[in-house]
């Protein structure tokens, strides 16, 4: 059996195939664009949640709410605050902040800035800078430091895995930071 197609039938088949190919290409392109947009939205949401995590920490410190801090950390999360101390796990973190935000430091306001975040899947790192105005041993202090953070996504939420404090200076307001001894707060004499 020989098929005999007219010129118009052949043109119709060609047009139909071209349309189908174009639709498939457009669909593939839209799927790629949607994947890219979803990844960008996920990245923005992750960054926003990590920033809110950092802000929540400072709100808890500024408002002297130590009981709010341990929930911001991963199950095995911890801190390394140089000469001020270290803590790991919920129990140690709770003990550290109950002590630090007690009458030992009756007033503190922390101001955070230049928060930089890098994300890799369910892990991340961040750096932020601190200016704080605590009262320590009845004296006003100025504190400048950097936080180096490690973050982890736990149960769908970002938490601190590790928070390290790198002090630049911790000095009485009356003395300033011009001298060589720039770390005077929390140092045992």
């Amino acid at each position: 059996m020989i098929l005999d197609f007219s010129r118009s039938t052949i043109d119709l088949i060609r047009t139909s195939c071209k349309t189908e190919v174009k639709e498939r290409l457009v669909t593939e392109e839209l799927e790629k664009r949607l994947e890219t947009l979803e990844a960008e939205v996920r990245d923005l949401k992750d960054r926003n949640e990590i920033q809110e995590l950092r802000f929540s920490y400072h709100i808890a410190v500024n408002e002297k709410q130590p009981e709010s801090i341990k929930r911001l950390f991963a199950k095995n999360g911890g801190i390394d605050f140089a000469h001020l101390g270290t803590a790991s796990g919920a129990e140690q973190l709770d003990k550290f902040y109950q002590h630090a935000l007690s009458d030992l430091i009756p007033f503190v306001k922390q101001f955070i800035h230049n928060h930089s975040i890098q994300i890799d899947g369910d892990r991340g790192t961040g750096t932020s800078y601190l200016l704080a105005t605590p009262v320590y041993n009845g004296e006003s202090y100025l504190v400048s430091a950097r936080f180096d953070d490690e973050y982890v996504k736990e149960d769908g939420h970002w938490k601190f895995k590790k928070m390290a404090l790198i002090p630049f200076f911790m000095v009485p307001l009356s003395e300033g930071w011009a001298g060589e001894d720039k770390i005077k707060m929390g140092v045992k004499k």
Side-chain angles (χ1 to χ4, degrees):
M1 176 172 154
I2 299 176
L3 296 175
D4 185 21
F5 292 110
S6 68
R7 184 80 177 143
S8 63
T9 302
I10 292 172
D11 287 344
L12 180 62
I13 291 170
R14 281 187 183 141
T15 303
S16 176
C17 286
K18 286 180 183 177
T19 301
E20 188 176 309
V21 168
K22 284 181 184 176
E23 287 175 357
R24 189 171 55 239
L25 290 174
V26 167
T27 300
E28 288 173 5
E29 178 64 25
L30 285 174
E31 287 174 359
K32 286 179 190 175
R33 290 171 71 185
L34 183 59
E35 283 179 26
T36 299
L37 286 172
E38 286 174 341
E40 289 174 358
V41 168
R42 189 175 325 106
D43 182 68
L44 289 170
K45 286 177 74 173
D46 286 343
R47 287 176 187 282
N48 185 62
E49 190 172 336
I50 290 170
Q51 284 182 327
E52 288 297 322
L53 176 69
R54 173 49 68 200
F55 298 156
S56 294
Y57 172 81
H58 293 287
I59 289 169
V61 169
N62 286 344
E63 300 304 320
K64 296 187 69 124
Q65 299 170 341
E67 68 282 354
S68 300
I69 294 175
K70 66 183 173 187
R71 70 176 173 77
L72 303 175
F73 284 82
K75 291 177 184 107
N76 60 348
I79 60 169
D80 180 351
F81 282 6
H83 68 283
L84 298 175
T86 61
S88 184
E91 189 176 314
Q92 286 184 12
L93 287 166
D94 192 46
K95 185 177 176 183
F96 180 90
Y97 285 103
Q98 290 291 341
H99 178 70
L101 296 176
S102 67
D103 290 338
L104 176 67
I105 301 176
F107 176 87
V108 63
K109 295 300 175 209
Q110 296 183 338
F111 305 95
I112 201 74
H113 52 94
N114 295 10
H115 192 194
S116 172
I117 301 167
Q118 296 75 43
I119 299 172
D120 184 12
D122 285 348
R123 298 196 170 276
T125 57
T127 300
S128 54
Y129 292 86
L130 169 74
L131 180 63
T133 56
V135 171
Y136 177 71
N137 285 339
E139 192 168 3
S140 297
Y141 271 73
L142 281 174
V143 174
S144 177
R146 183 181 76 229
F147 283 106
D148 289 340
D149 301 327
E150 294 176 19
Y151 314 107
V152 64
K153 206 170 203 180
E154 233 179 46
D155 300 323
H157 299 285
W158 286 99
K159 305 282 184 174
F160 289 108
K161 171 93 172 133
K162 182 179 180 188
M163 182 190 301
L165 179 77
I166 294 86
F168 301 132
F169 59 81
M170 297 178 157
V171 295
L173 179 61
S174 61
E175 293 180 30
W177 56 92
E180 286 188 34
D181 187 8
K182 294 185 181 354
I183 308 296
K184 295 184 178 182
M185 184 177 149
V187 176
K188 295 179 180 163
K189 295 180 183 183

